[in-house]
């Protein structure tokens, strides 16, 4: 009968003393995670270097040993970065691979670095270091997309366009106001990332398997060395908490939703029916059979990938919901959805930025469309309110104006003074002050409104906020 135990080298595993034999091949395949967690290798080396300094401080490494360890870690980090050192089939995970590399460089001294640590607190620390680093990269890409929208908005303050509700003409707006709405939405994504980071900036290292260490180590000191604000205050919570992973996936999903909505608007604007925007050749694709096509693939992929990002969130939440506190192997399933969300955003965001930055808008067509579809009816109602008419009555009068214009197949400004007076004695020729685009927009000059004077102020504030976010994330 064939031997069902693994022939792997037991020295590559971080456990096994109480086992008479190694794991079966199927068990080894199921347990192996280096095919995805090798991304954490630079961060595992980083936290191992900080841990070595803590071991020296606790008297568990001599000064000479600590120097040798740091040199070996630097060598191994260089080999990992170049691809010279990689995991092999006997490595169960990133931690066992890194320890193997250190032992090959340091001999028995390499095994001392396991003291006071467990894979439970190591992996949580590595993962947080990775995610905080990549959240910074994502933030930088969001800022780039905000700047692309802001540049387009500054060019279109006096471009008028229909504003939509229910995807139907609602009221005319400054097109810059339309573009700026996306800067605000992306700004909330940055706020969420920042808020997330304030909670993620707590180190699990020092928690050990779940009960902490008896070796006189200092979790607060190693936390500071790794750029965390503090260590986590409960060792069991430290190794079992994945709130920060799920919360990051929510932020990522929300970014994806915003990108999807932006994509949907670009698809509509670039359609033949709207014809408001033209895609740049470098940021669109063609058809394999129809030579005339210019397809908004970036915008469509933004819609598609948003579903993937939402799936990553719901998948991890489903994994976490039934786990008791303390480390459980189920938590190995936290990494792939997070890695995928990071990778998808870092591919998608720069493409979206390029597409938005190079869009060409048909401003003449937009301006012509802005008042169409009786979009100035609300302006009639609000003019009546300023004349002292209760809004309930003003709404009915404005609706009656729309009805007459529909019957005549004309726009509201085409109604004669006689027709206006016949609809209501409250109407007179002065209502024409708001029956044009400039008058309608200028009247909406409250804070946050679409009047050009307010839009200019809004864009200046957004520019300052983006500058502050760039300093916060990029330094």
């Amino acid at each position: 009968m064939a031997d069902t135990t693994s022939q792997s080298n037991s020295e590559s595993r971080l456990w096994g003393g109480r086992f008479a034999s190694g794991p079966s091949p199927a068990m080894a395949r199921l347990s192996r995670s280096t095919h995805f967690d090798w991304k954490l290798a630079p961060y595992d080396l980083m936290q191992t270097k900080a841990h070595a300094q803590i071991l020296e401080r606790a008297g568990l490494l001599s000064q000479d040993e600590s120097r040798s360890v740091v040199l070996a870690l630097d060598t191994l980090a260089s080999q990992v970065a170049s691809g010279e050192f990689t995991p092999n089939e006997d490595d169960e995970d990133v931690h066992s691979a890194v320890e193997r590399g250190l032992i090959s460089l340091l001999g028995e001294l390499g095994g001392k670095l396991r003291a006071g640590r467990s894979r439970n607190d190591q992996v949580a620390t590595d993962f947080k270091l990775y995610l905080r680093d990549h959240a910074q990269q994502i933030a930088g890409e969001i800022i780039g997309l905000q700047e692309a929208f802001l540049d387009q908005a500054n060019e279109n303050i006096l471009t008028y366009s229909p504003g939509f509700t229910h995807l139907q003409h609602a009221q005319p707006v400054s097109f810059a106001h339309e573009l700026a709405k996306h800067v605000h939405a992306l700004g909330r994504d940055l706020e969420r990332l920042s808020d997330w980071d304030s909670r993620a900036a707590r180190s699990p290292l020092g928690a050990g398997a779940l009960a902490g260490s008896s070796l006189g180590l200092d979790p607060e000191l190693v936390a500071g060395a790794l750029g965390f604000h503090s260590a986590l205050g409960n060792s069991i919570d430290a190794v079992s908490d994945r709130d920060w992973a799920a919360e990051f996936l929510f932020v990522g999903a929300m970014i994806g939703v915003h990108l999807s909505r932006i994509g949907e608007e670009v698809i509509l604007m670039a359609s033949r029916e709207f014809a408001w925007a033209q895609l740049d050749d470098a940021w669109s694709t063609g058809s394999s059979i129809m030579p005339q096509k210019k397809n908004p693939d970036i915008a469509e992929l933004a819609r598609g990938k948003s579903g993937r990002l939402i799936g990553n969130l719901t998948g991890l939440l489903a994994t976490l919901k039934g786990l008791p506190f303390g480390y459980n192997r189920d938590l190995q399933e936290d990494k792939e959805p997070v890695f995928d969300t990071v990778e998808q955003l870092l591919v998608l965001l720069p493409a979206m930025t390029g597409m938005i930055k190079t869009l060409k808008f048909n401003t003449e067509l937009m301006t012509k469309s802005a008042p169409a579809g009786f979009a100035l009816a609300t302006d009639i109602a609000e003019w009546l309110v300023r004349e002292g008419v209760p809004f309930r009555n003003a709404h009915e009068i404005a609706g009656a104006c729309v009805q007459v214009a529909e019957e005549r197949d004309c726009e509201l400004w085409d109604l004669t003074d006689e027709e206006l007076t016949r609809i209501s004695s409250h109407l007179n020729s002065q209502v024409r002050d708001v029956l044009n685009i400039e008058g309608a927009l200028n009247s909406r000059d409250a804070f946050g409104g679409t009047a050009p004077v307010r839009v200019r102020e809004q864009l200046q504030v957004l520019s300052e906020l983006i500058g502050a976010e760039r300093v916060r994330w990029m330094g």
Side-chain angles (χ1 to χ4, degrees):
M1 186 174 182
D3 182 9
T4 60
T5 61
S6 170
Q7 300 301 310
S8 66
N9 180 2
S10 64
E11 291 181 1
S12 71
R13 298 195 306 272
L14 303 184
W15 55 275
R18 59 92 67 215
F19 288 81
S21 65
S24 69
M27 176 68 201
R29 283 194 300 273
L30 178 63
S31 293
R32 192 174 298 125
S33 60
T34 51
H35 55 290
F36 59 83
D37 70 11
W38 188 242
K39 291 179 187 294
L40 300 180
Y43 304 96
D44 198 69
L45 290 161
M46 183 191 306
Q47 61 108 333
T48 298
K49 183 182 286 190
H51 181 65
Q53 293 166 349
I54 297 301
L55 290 175
E56 180 190 353
R57 185 183 177 91
L60 299 174
L61 285 179
S62 70
Q63 195 173 62
D64 286 344
E65 287 177 325
S66 182
R67 271 198 293 266
S68 296
V69 166
V70 168
L71 287 173
L73 286 165
D74 288 342
T75 298
L76 195 56
S78 176
Q79 292 175 348
V80 167
S82 69
E84 181 182 349
F85 182 82
T86 58
N88 63 33
E89 288 188 2
D90 292 335
D91 295 324
E92 188 174 24
D93 54 32
V94 61
H95 317 295
S96 57
V98 166
E99 183 173 280
R100 174 176 58 81
L102 287 172
I103 289 173
S104 73
L105 293 170
L106 295 168
E108 191 174 89
L109 175 57
K112 282 193 172 185
L113 295 169
R114 200 191 302 179
R117 287 190 302 176
S118 161
R119 286 185 295 180
N120 298 357
D121 62 342
Q122 272 187 268
V123 72
T125 304
D126 293 353
F127 199 10
K128 277 194 172 183
L129 289 169
Y130 163 89
L131 201 46
R132 293 189 71 208
D133 185 21
H134 286 76
Q136 183 179 35
Q137 296 175 39
I138 290 167
E141 296 297 344
I142 292 172
I143 290 167
L145 181 54
Q146 285 184 302
E147 290 171 336
F149 272 115
L150 191 63
D151 288 346
Q152 291 279 22
N154 277 310
E155 294 294 319
N156 286 284
I157 295 171
L158 296 180
T159 298
Y160 307 128
S161 73
F164 292 88
T165 63
H166 307 280
L167 202 55
Q168 299 183 56
H169 285 213
Q171 294 176 266
V173 295
S174 161
F175 188 57
H177 201 52
E178 280 279 341
L179 294 167
K181 72 190 178 194
H182 297 304
V183 184
H184 287 276
L186 293 166
R188 291 193 295 275
D189 291 327
L190 288 172
E191 289 173 3
R192 274 185 281 270
L193 269 180
S194 181
D195 192 42
W196 167 84
D197 188 63
S198 69
R199 281 184 291 284
R202 299 168 190 163
S203 172
L205 197 60
L210 84 162
S213 171
S214 64
L215 299 178
L217 307 182
D218 189 341
E220 287 283 11
L221 194 62
V222 76
L226 291 170
F228 291 106
H229 299 164
S230 67
L232 286 161
N234 182 291
S235 57
I236 301 173
D237 178 57
V239 298
S240 63
D241 168 36
R242 291 298 186 275
D243 294 5
W244 48 272
E247 187 179 354
F248 172 82
L249 289 178
F250 168 75
V251 177
M254 199 69 244
I255 295 168
V257 168
H258 286 150
L259 297 180
S260 178
R261 298 178 75 178
I262 292 167
E264 175 66 11
E265 291 195 357
V266 170
I267 291 164
L268 287 171
M269 287 192 293
S271 70
R272 187 73 175 177
E273 287 69 27
F274 267 72
W276 284 12
Q278 182 177 354
L279 295 161
D280 188 86
D281 287 356
W283 302 98
S284 55
T285 65
S287 165
S288 60
I289 191 171
M290 295 170 285
Q292 82 281 8
K293 294 295 293 298
K294 181 183 277 192
N295 297 325
D297 280 22
I298 293 170
E300 292 175 345
L301 285 168
R303 284 190 316 195
K305 288 183 183 295
S306 67
R308 181 170 176 169
L309 301 181
I310 293 166
N312 287 339
L313 169 62
T314 56
L316 181 59
L317 289 175
T319 297
L320 296 176
K321 73 173 184 62
L323 298 186
F325 278 75
Y327 184 82
N328 299 274
R329 192 61 182 274
D330 315 49
L331 292 176
Q332 181 173 298
E333 296 300 309
D334 60 355
K335 292 167 201 64
E336 288 176 285
V338 170
F339 291 158
D340 184 65
T341 288
V342 167
E343 290 166 8
Q344 297 310 314
L345 288 175
L346 289 178
V347 167
L348 181 57
L349 281 161
M352 290 290 284
T353 299
M355 179 183 68
I356 295 301
K357 187 180 293 187
T358 57
L359 276 178
K360 302 296 183 187
F361 295 108
N362 188 338
T363 57
E364 183 179 345
L365 181 57
M366 284 183 191
T367 298
K368 184 179 179 181
S369 299
F374 313 114
L376 298 174
T378 304
D379 294 275
I380 295 175
E382 291 186 350
W383 181 87
L384 288 165
V385 168
R386 291 193 293 273
E387 294 295 308
V389 178
F391 186 77
R392 180 182 181 85
N393 297 341
H395 189 282
E396 294 295 320
I397 294 168
C401 291
V402 171
Q403 186 177 29
V404 172
E406 282 185 320
E407 291 170 354
R408 278 195 51 200
D409 192 24
C410 68
E411 285 290 350
L412 291 171
W413 55 82
D414 294 320
L415 296 176
T416 65
D417 291 349
E418 184 179 64
E419 285 173 318
L420 291 170
T421 303
R422 197 159 49 239
I423 292 168
S424 171
S425 60
H426 296 290
L427 291 172
N428 57 56
S429 60
Q430 292 179 21
V431 75
R432 298 189 185 283
D433 291 342
V434 296
L435 286 180
N436 61 81
I437 295 295
E438 291 80 4
L441 265 65
N442 287 333
S443 70
R444 302 190 180 282
D445 60 355
F447 177 79
T450 193
V453 63
R454 294 291 169 256
V455 172
R456 286 191 180 89
E457 292 173 355
Q458 177 190 174
L459 298 186
Q460 179 59 39
V461 170
L462 286 173
S463 178
E464 292 168 4
L465 289 173
I466 291 170
E469 289 288 0
R470 185 167 284 284
V471 170
R472 184 258 183 268
W473 289 103
M474 304 295 123

